[in-house]
Amino acid sequence: MRNQLPGGGAVPLGGALSLPDVAALAVLNDPDLVAARAQRGVGEADLLSAGLVPDPSLSAGFAALLSGPGSMPALAGGLSQDVSALVTYRVNVRAAKAGLAQVNAQILWQEWQVASQAEQLCIMLHGDTQSLATLRADHDALARVNAATQEQVAAHNLTVAALSVSMADLAAVDTALNTAMQTRDQDRDQLDALLGLQPGTEVAVALSPVQPLTPAAVEDAINSLAQRRPDLIALRFGYEQADAKLRGAILSQFLPVSIGATGGRDTSNVWSAGPQVSLSLPLFNRNRGAIAQASATRAQLAAQFQASLASADAGARALLARIALLQDESAAADTQAAAAAKIAAQAQAAFASGALDASSAAGLQSAATSRAREAIALRVQLLTARLSLETLTGVGLPAIAPAPMEPAA
């Protein structure tokens, strides 16, 4: 697993990893990101190609004298240079630079999403572990009740109906335990895939609290989405690339254009030479198809940018409202879980003193652990929602100078 950071540092691999460390390792090792970064080479190649001038063309001809008044074979030659690349040089380079910047912004957005996904999976795995602990506690308590019920049935103090109830409760907990283990394994395998590890590899993580964003910070982030979200910035660079291609299509009405010189000798030994220019006359085709396509692409990207910006704005505000609701629900669930745990502890003490039967004590214990699992689930939802809000608003990303959304003069 790669752990060398681009700035020269390294992510420490010994001991438990922090959430930022896991995010950095996911960005370094995710196979999809490794493939995405290969797109940068394509953009760099396009930029190199846009700055190259075509090679000149050389032509030569020889005509043998077969009959007539001439006295020697005819010779012809010419040298020409296609100057089309000079006509569209600026717009081609501008389009290639915008295309490369678009690829870089798209890769940055994908890296940002992978980092957030890795952090969310760590939080979910922590919640899975806590839920499994409560389910195991339920299993142990119900197993004791089931064993005690079997003894009472054998002693003819209880009927078989009581045993069937305890066995059904134990089977239900076992089913929930198996489901929770499968969920834990799926989350772990997803994290392993992001880190480039073999499935089933355990990663020790030391969770740090996810600080909530203040409404003022969220509002500032929403107002600067167009300068912060890499996917929106990629659309702006895409618009600039489409605008440059539109201008190139307009200039290409006269292309190809070549200049050069031709000369030769005819069969009567008369030598001649002179310049030569060739270009297309925009009378019929006028490159209208390419111009219409480039214009439509530019308009489509402008509309897509506005739609994506509006969607990001609405999504961030909706997520902020959901976080406020989750905070209240999580606080209430924590209070209820603490109260249920206190009652369960009192029940266990009463059972130990013989003042309460095993079935009642186990029922109160199951109710307490059920409350605890509700609190755990809400806490996981709250923390992952906070991370999602940071991802959606691009908080933590530096502002990027985006391309304009208006046609260049």
Side-chain angles (χ1 to χ4, degrees), residues 6-384:
V11 178
L13 297 180
L17 299 171
S18 65
L19 286 182
D21 289 340
V22 174
L25 289 173
V27 170
L28 290 172
N29 294 278
D30 179 41
D32 291 335
L33 280 179
V34 174
R37 292 187 188 103
Q39 299 175 10
R40 185 180 291 118
V42 177
E44 291 172 348
D46 290 340
L47 180 57
L48 174 63
S49 177
L52 297 178
V53 177
D55 295 324
S57 297
L58 177 66
S59 62
F62 173 83
L65 179 61
L66 299 179
S67 64
S71 59
M72 60 188 66
L75 301 176
L79 180 66
S80 63
Q81 173 65 51
D82 185 357
V83 296
S84 302
L86 299 178
V87 176
T88 59
Y89 175 80
R90 293 184 60 184
V91 292
N92 286 343
V93 171
R94 178 179 156 221
K97 286 182 177 179
L100 179 58
Q102 181 184 21
V103 170
N104 289 334
Q106 289 171 338
I107 293 173
L108 178 59
W109 176 239
Q110 191 170 346
E111 290 175 343
W112 183 244
Q113 290 179 304
V114 166
S116 176
Q117 184 183 1
E119 292 179 339
Q120 290 185 9
L121 283 170
C122 289
I123 292 174
M124 292 167 64
L125 277 169
H126 183 69
D128 293 340
T129 301
Q130 291 180 320
S131 295
L132 280 171
T134 64
L135 286 168
R136 290 191 177 103
D138 280 355
H139 171 82
D140 294 343
L142 289 173
R144 289 193 296 269
V145 170
N146 191 62
T149 303
Q150 287 179 342
E151 292 177 357
Q152 293 297 320
V153 170
H156 303 288
N157 294 325
L158 291 174
T159 65
V160 177
L163 179 60
S164 65
V165 172
S166 67
M167 293 181 65
D169 292 340
L170 182 60
V173 169
D174 287 340
T175 300
L177 184 61
N178 292 334
T179 301
M181 292 178 64
Q182 293 172 10
T183 301
R184 189 272 317 271
D185 291 346
Q186 290 173 358
D187 292 340
R188 181 194 59 201
D189 291 345
Q190 288 185 47
L191 181 60
D192 289 341
L194 289 180
L195 299 178
L197 300 174
Q198 291 295 322
T201 304
E202 297 289 346
V203 178
V205 179
L207 288 183
S208 55
V210 181
Q211 299 300 329
L213 295 174
T214 63
V218 174
E219 189 65 30
D220 290 342
I222 290 175
N223 293 334
S224 61
L225 278 174
Q227 291 77 36
R228 190 171 302 279
R229 279 267 299 256
D231 61 326
L232 296 175
I233 295 170
L235 286 173
R236 300 184 73 162
F237 280 122
Y239 178 92
E240 183 183 7
Q241 183 184 37
D243 182 68
K245 288 184 175 181
L246 173 59
R247 295 176 183 278
I250 294 172
L251 291 174
S252 296
Q253 295 179 91
F254 301 92
L255 302 183
V257 177
S258 62
I259 60 174
T262 61
R265 182 194 69 188
D266 63 13
T267 56
S268 60
N269 200 26
V270 175
W271 291 84
S272 61
Q276 182 181 23
V277 178
S278 66
L279 72 160
S280 297
L281 295 177
L283 297 178
F284 305 109
N285 185 291
R286 291 183 292 171
N287 207 30
R288 285 179 295 177
I291 292 173
Q293 184 178 16
S295 179
T297 299
R298 188 180 69 173
Q300 182 264 332
L301 286 170
Q304 185 178 351
F305 171 81
Q306 293 299 333
S308 297
L309 180 60
S311 176
D313 184 292
R317 297 186 188 280
L319 193 54
L320 185 62
R322 182 170 181 266
I323 288 173
L325 178 61
L326 284 172
Q327 287 177 172
D328 294 338
E329 293 178 345
S330 180
D334 287 341
T335 301
Q336 293 169 356
K342 184 177 180 180
I343 294 174
Q346 294 172 349
Q348 290 298 320
F351 171 71
S353 64
L356 189 68
D357 62 275
S359 178
S360 299
L364 291 172
Q365 175 67 28
S366 296
T369 53
S370 178
R371 287 289 190 182
R373 284 192 294 276
E374 292 176 4
I376 292 168
L378 285 169
R379 195 177 309 119
V380 168
Q381 292 179 41
L382 175 60
L383 295 180
T384 54

